[in-house]
Amino acid sequence: MSPAQKAWEIENTIQLVDPHRDALYGYDHEEQKAIQNEQPWRSDPHHFKNVRISAVALLKMVMHARSGGSLEVMGLMQGKISENTFIVTDAFRLPVEGTETRVNASDEANEYVIQYLQMCRENGRADNAVGWYHSHPGYGCWLSGIDVATQMAQQFQDPFLAVVIDPDRTISAGKVEIGAFRTYPKDYKPPGGQEDDDYQTIPLAKIEDFGAHASQYYSLEISHYKSTLDTHLLELLWNKYWVSTLSQSPLFTNREYSSKQMLDLSQKIRNAEKSIQSSSRGGHMGGRGNKDSHMEKVVRDSNKIAGEEITGLMAGEIKAKLFEGVGAAARSETAT
């Protein structure tokens, strides 16, 4: 295993399962049928709490999300259910049309899914489709109103999971930006105090959509794993991923994203300033708390952008130190 691949696995906390049994890849038809018959998620909207995603599936989804650029892409995940956990063993892309704000599955995509799963079963792959994934280029991992509607429609064939990947933030942070979600039943009202503790930087243009639907779904804890069965495939995928990553600079590749981040931050600072001035003039009770809240969000966003820029600069410096003079050395050896 290369040092770069090892660092990627450590950064994304990918754990090796039992090398002798590779149990997570085993598919028990009777077990899955029994779970489908019991359907514990019908009585408990919070039944599913965890997602375990294989390193191969994770890398395939990230590469697909990055290939879409500023456009959203979409695919499906295969796997199984184990108690209150989704186990994702593989993923495949769908031939869908995406825009910068949404992705739509056509009849052609639905036919593709049926044919793909049928071919998998004919070749001994019994894993069911357990969820769908799509990308949010540059605006974080959460479900929009369209995403919520899509997931609710898919949950009629429960159990089904929604995963979101942000390829821009993945490049900037050096770690996969990913979220996994389940929507609540239509008439279900979640109890209070269920907010997600993880802070997210949401662009101003998306804040309204983010807040309007945040109470209609909840997030699941994500962990990653690998197995001796997929080591070779993971190495092949990694070679392709590493070459594309090595040939790019996060600062140049993500320059449009970085510019949008700075513009968005400047607007948030202006809005915070106006809100603080308005609160001060009005003499509202609790004004200090509002000021602190506005400033805290601006500071968090500022620190996040600064951290991403520093990461990009460090990556550039490391590549320069590693490969400086490599071409010249190769040419001199050839000449001699």
Side-chain angles (χ1 to χ4, degrees):
M1 183 191 302
S2 67
Q5 182 181 344
K6 186 175 182 180
W8 182 81
E9 292 183 1
I10 292 173
E11 186 69 26
N12 291 284
T13 59
I14 294 171
Q15 301 174 345
L16 178 67
V17 297
D18 189 336
H20 300 291
R21 293 180 297 170
D22 294 309
L24 292 178
Y25 282 86
Y27 191 89
D28 188 328
H29 287 276
E30 294 302 320
E31 178 189 25
Q32 296 302 304
K33 186 176 180 181
I35 293 173
Q36 285 285 355
N37 291 335
E38 292 176 10
Q39 298 187 341
W41 53 87
R42 295 292 186 188
S43 57
D44 180 11
H46 276 275
H47 173 73
F48 291 106
K49 296 177 174 61
N50 305 290
V51 186
R52 300 194 69 180
I53 302 176
S54 74
V56 167
L58 179 66
L59 200 53
K60 289 171 73 173
M61 290 189 288
V62 171
M63 292 173 66
H64 185 202
R66 286 185 60 176
S67 71
S70 61
L71 302 181
E72 291 192 9
V73 300
M74 179 180 177
L76 285 188
M77 298 175 292
Q78 293 175 273
K80 62 180 183 179
I81 304 301
S82 177
E83 297 179 350
N84 64 351
T85 301
F86 283 91
I87 297 176
V88 177
T89 57
D90 201 2
F92 61 95
R93 61 180 64 194
L94 291 179
V96 298
E97 295 181 0
T99 68
E100 292 186 355
T101 57
R102 68 180 64 185
V103 62
N104 298 313
S106 61
D107 292 337
E108 178 186 356
N110 294 329
E111 292 176 7
Y112 179 86
V113 171
I114 295 172
Q115 293 176 2
Y116 186 93
L117 294 177
Q118 181 61 34
M119 290 179 64
C120 286
R121 293 188 178 94
E122 290 174 357
N123 287 276
R125 291 275 310 278
D127 305 47
N128 288 321
V130 294
W132 66 295
Y133 71 88
H134 72 291
S135 60
H136 275 186
Y139 49 96
C141 299
W142 46 279
L143 297 185
S144 67
I146 295 173
D147 299 337
V148 168
T150 301
Q151 176 62 15
M152 284 184 170
Q154 296 293 343
Q155 282 186 199
F156 281 112
Q157 53 179 346
D158 249 351
F160 219 71
L161 172 73
V163 163
V164 182
I165 294 175
D166 187 333
D168 291 346
R169 296 187 181 185
T170 294
I171 294 173
S172 294
K175 178 183 177 182
V176 179
E177 185 83 6
I178 186 171
F181 310 96
R182 288 268 300 169
T183 51
Y184 294 118
K186 190 173 182 180
D187 298 324
Y188 178 79
K189 291 184 179 180
Q194 295 292 325
E195 292 84 0
D196 193 347
D197 292 334
D198 293 333
Y199 177 77
Q200 288 198 69
T201 302
I202 308 297
L204 283 173
K206 301 288 184 180
I207 283 180
E208 185 176 352
D209 194 21
F210 171 77
H213 307 282
S215 63
Q216 295 179 267
Y217 62 89
Y218 70 98
S219 60
L220 287 76
E221 188 72 25
I222 299 176
S223 61
H224 308 292
Y225 69 92
K226 68 174 184 177
S227 156
T228 56
L229 293 176
D230 58 14
T231 300
H232 180 59
L233 181 57
L234 183 60
E235 289 177 354
L236 293 175
L237 284 171
W238 175 257
N239 290 336
K240 183 178 179 181
Y241 177 79
W242 173 238
V243 168
S244 65
T245 302
L246 190 64
S247 62
Q248 296 174 345
S249 165
L251 296 181
F252 287 108
T253 304
N254 263 18
R255 57 186 179 273
E256 183 179 353
Y257 164 71
S258 299
S259 298
K260 289 180 179 179
Q261 287 279 89
M262 293 300 295
L263 288 172
D264 190 70
L265 178 62
S266 66
Q267 184 61 51
K268 288 179 178 178
I269 292 174
R270 285 194 291 270
N271 290 350
E273 183 180 7
K274 290 178 183 178
S275 178
I276 292 171
Q277 290 175 351
S278 175
S279 178
S280 298
R281 285 196 299 268
H284 298 303
M285 295 294 292
R288 177 62 182 272
N290 290 333
K291 294 178 187 178
D292 291 344
S293 175
H294 286 301
M295 291 307 300
E296 181 184 0
K297 290 179 181 179
V298 169
V299 169
R300 281 189 175 187
D301 289 355
S302 302
N303 289 339
K304 178 179 176 297
I305 294 173
E308 291 175 351
E309 293 298 308
I310 291 172
T311 299
L313 289 170
M314 290 177 62
E317 287 296 316
I318 292 171
K319 289 177 184 178
K321 294 293 184 182
L322 286 173
F323 301 105
E324 185 177 9
V326 170
R331 285 194 296 271
S332 63
E333 288 179 5
T334 303
T336 56

